[in-house]
Amino acid sequence: MSTLHSTRPLLTLRSSWSLRVVASSMPLRSKITNPAFLAKAKMATAASADPDDVLFEVNRAARVIRLNRPRKLNALNDSMIAKMTPRITEWGKSDTAKLLIIRGEGGRALCAGGDVAALLDVAPTEATAFFTHEYTLDYIIATYPKPIVTFMDGITMGGGAGLCMHTPFRIATEKTVFSMPETLIGFYPDVGASFFLSRLDGYLGTYLAITGERLNGFDAYFAGAATHFVPSEKLKDLESRLAELDTVEDLTGSRKYNAVINSAIDDFQSEVPADYKYFYGGDKRKTIDECFKFDTLEQITDALSKAAEAGDEFAKTTVDTMNLRCPLSMKIALAAVRKGATIDIRETLKNDMFIASKFMTEPDFHTGVSYRVVQKQNGRAEWHDAGNVDVAKYWPAGNEVPQDLLRAFDKLHQLAGDRPEDAVAYKEYPFQNGLPTENEVEQFVLGEAKHSGPFLATKEEVAEHFVEDYRGKVGVREKVSEILDRKTQIVKGHEDEKLINWV
């Protein structure tokens, strides 16, 4: 398919709020009108060493945010958050803005996470304020009234993952490195990650939350962290194509517009890499599901140790990995993922605000950030024992919540306005634009899906159904086949027909 390129002028709005015309003059209709937003933005810009740490652009239908701290791998700071929050909010109200694109400059990262090293030199209340600002921005993005496309081109970790994981279109490339590595620095997977990770297949999300391990390249797409896989060299053309979608009228926020964007991105996807094998597939996924299904860290550790003693090399590696992580962080990560599976997105981020405030007074946070981020050491930090930790004290329910956090909670409710609850406090993401989930495949095999019935099928027939249902989307056959190989068996008495059932 040929790629369309916009001939209209492109505007770049620097984060110092000055306007630079790239081609020819063009009005920016989404003006910042909220005085509180303006005051906060001016304060943050004045304090920032780089007034252009975020760039804003208008490109036909698209509004583009470019994180611009390449030397810091676009690490997120309060200055950047203060600039993005009002701009994104106002673009959400603009009739001319149809979709939002978030990407990073420098070619190495979307965003390597929050600039946590800067928090070591401030009071706990000031550090907590940073996180409440960050999670408020994450909530605005998670409940945005218009489609958001994020380019996960390079390192996408921690706070950077928070900018993309709740968006309907998440583009992985061959350079993608996705993770929530907080347990390595004495923190926990925040930014709503407990909501996102708990909805990945099986117990993969629990594993990623506790270990902080990575999803690289196509694996990020295969696992569901990304919805599409597009080669890095095609992203510029993809951005131009998305900007052309202003020809679709009166569809913003609708399922039809979602389908149009989804189809446009699919046109840029490459084929499954030659000889590709999903890193967390097969026996590794079986180990993950068998060992990380438990609700206490001690049970998980015991299960992994037994598997390692039985010769499971992946289990042994996982035990070694967890030995480097902060015990308190892993306990809170596990509890957060379990709670995140049952609550809505707004409640998740309110919990994150409270949990982060508690961590700011924990010595392990300062120990971990100093050891890993500042000193850049690779061994095991001197963590405190967490055997007798009362996990319940890290959640707002049943505990005294400071007034500043109560005000932050109220702000999330105010941001929702009069929009429907299922748009601002959903328990499942409104759009599923990635590969089929394991649950979808299970329901079809068991005859419980909408388009299935009380019949048996072969692996090939099930795979063909999903390839057709997903309109030939790249990776569907491979994803469904991996699930079927791991979770089904031939029905006794139907060996010749190779009919399968779920196990």
Side-chain angles (χ1 to χ4, degrees), residues 77-129:
N77 60 24
D78 214 5
S79 164
M80 299 165 77
I81 294 168
K83 292 162 189 153
M84 286 190 283
T85 300
R87 181 55 59 186
I88 292 175
T89 300
E90 292 296 326
W91 276 341
K93 302 172 185 176
S94 169
D95 291 336
T96 59
K98 298 291 180 65
L99 76 159
L100 182 66
I101 298 172
I102 302 175
R103 62 182 306 170
E105 293 293 282
R108 297 172 59 200
L110 168 63
C111 173
D115 195 352
V116 290
L119 302 180
L120 296 181
D121 300 322
V122 302
T125 53
E126 191 173 342
T128 297

Side-chain angles (χ1 to χ4, degrees), residues 11-25:
L11 284 182
T12 298
L13 183 64
R14 290 182 174 271
S15 52
S16 55
W17 308 113
S18 63
L19 195 62
R20 175 168 62 89
V21 181
V22 175
S24 60
S25 181

Side-chain angles (χ1 to χ4, degrees), residues 228-484:
H228 299 77
F229 181 85
V230 175
S232 182
E233 64 182 14
K234 292 185 179 181
L235 292 181
K236 184 176 180 180
D237 288 341
L238 172 58
E239 183 178 322
S240 297
R241 178 69 183 96
L242 292 172
E244 297 284 350
L245 297 182
D246 60 356
T247 56
V248 182
E249 297 179 358
D250 302 323
L251 296 176
T252 300
S254 73
R255 295 198 172 274
K256 187 174 181 181
Y257 192 58
N258 180 84
V260 169
I261 296 172
N262 198 24
S263 178
I265 300 172
D266 280 343
D267 288 341
F268 286 82
Q269 292 206 115
S270 65
E271 294 303 313
V272 178
D275 301 322
Y276 172 74
K277 186 176 181 180
Y278 178 43
F279 184 79
Y280 293 111
D283 289 341
K284 290 178 182 175
R285 256 302 301 279
K286 291 179 181 179
T287 296
I288 288 172
D289 287 351
E290 281 299 313
C291 297
F292 285 83
K293 65 184 178 183
F294 299 106
D295 292 331
T296 70
L297 190 63
E298 291 78 10
Q299 288 174 305
I300 290 173
T301 303
D302 287 346
L304 285 167
S305 297
K306 290 177 181 177
E309 290 171 4
D312 188 329
E313 287 298 320
F314 177 71
K316 183 180 182 303
T317 299
T318 303
V319 170
D320 293 341
T321 296
M322 290 173 61
N323 283 336
L324 295 176
R325 272 49 178 173
C326 173
L328 172 63
S329 297
M330 291 191 288
K331 282 201 167 188
I332 301 303
L334 175 59
V337 170
R338 292 292 181 265
K339 290 180 185 293
T342 65
I343 60 179
D344 63 60
I345 186 65
R346 183 169 59 202
E347 198 66 23
T348 301
L349 287 163
K350 287 164 64 176
N351 286 345
D352 279 348
M353 290 179 180
F354 187 83
I355 299 170
S357 73
K358 301 294 284 186
F359 265 93
M360 291 306 97
T361 61
E362 290 289 349
D364 279 342
F365 174 75
H366 293 267
T367 296
V369 174
S370 296
Y371 187 77
R372 282 282 174 175
V373 181
V374 179
Q375 301 172 33
K376 302 187 185 304
Q377 299 294 314
N378 293 319
R380 188 181 192 276
E382 295 183 7
W383 307 120
H384 287 74
D385 179 71
N388 297 318
V389 166
D390 179 13
V391 172
K393 77 175 186 178
Y394 290 86
W395 269 262
N399 290 297
E400 183 178 353
V401 181
Q403 285 298 315
D404 57 342
L405 286 184
L406 288 175
R407 287 191 291 270
F409 292 176
D410 288 341
K411 183 174 181 179
L412 296 190
H413 287 270
Q414 292 167 10
L415 285 168
D418 58 358
R419 295 174 63 200
E421 279 290 292
D422 61 359
V424 296
Y426 52 78
K427 287 192 173 182
E428 297 295 337
Y429 288 110
F431 296 103
Q432 154 55 13
N433 295 311
L435 292 173
T437 65
E438 193 166 296
N439 187 54
E440 286 181 79
V441 177
E442 177 182 6
Q443 288 183 331
F444 185 81
V445 172
L446 294 177
E448 299 171 356
K450 183 178 179 180
H451 300 297
S452 62
F455 59 83
L456 297 174
T458 66
K459 288 183 180 180
E460 181 60 28
E461 288 169 341
V462 175
E464 281 297 327
H465 162 78
F466 281 97
V467 168
E468 181 178 349
D469 196 43
Y470 278 71
R471 300 183 178 182
K473 188 178 181 72
V474 170
V476 169
R477 184 180 300 278
E478 289 77 7
K479 172 75 181 285
V480 173
S481 296
E482 191 281 325
I483 294 171
L484 295 176

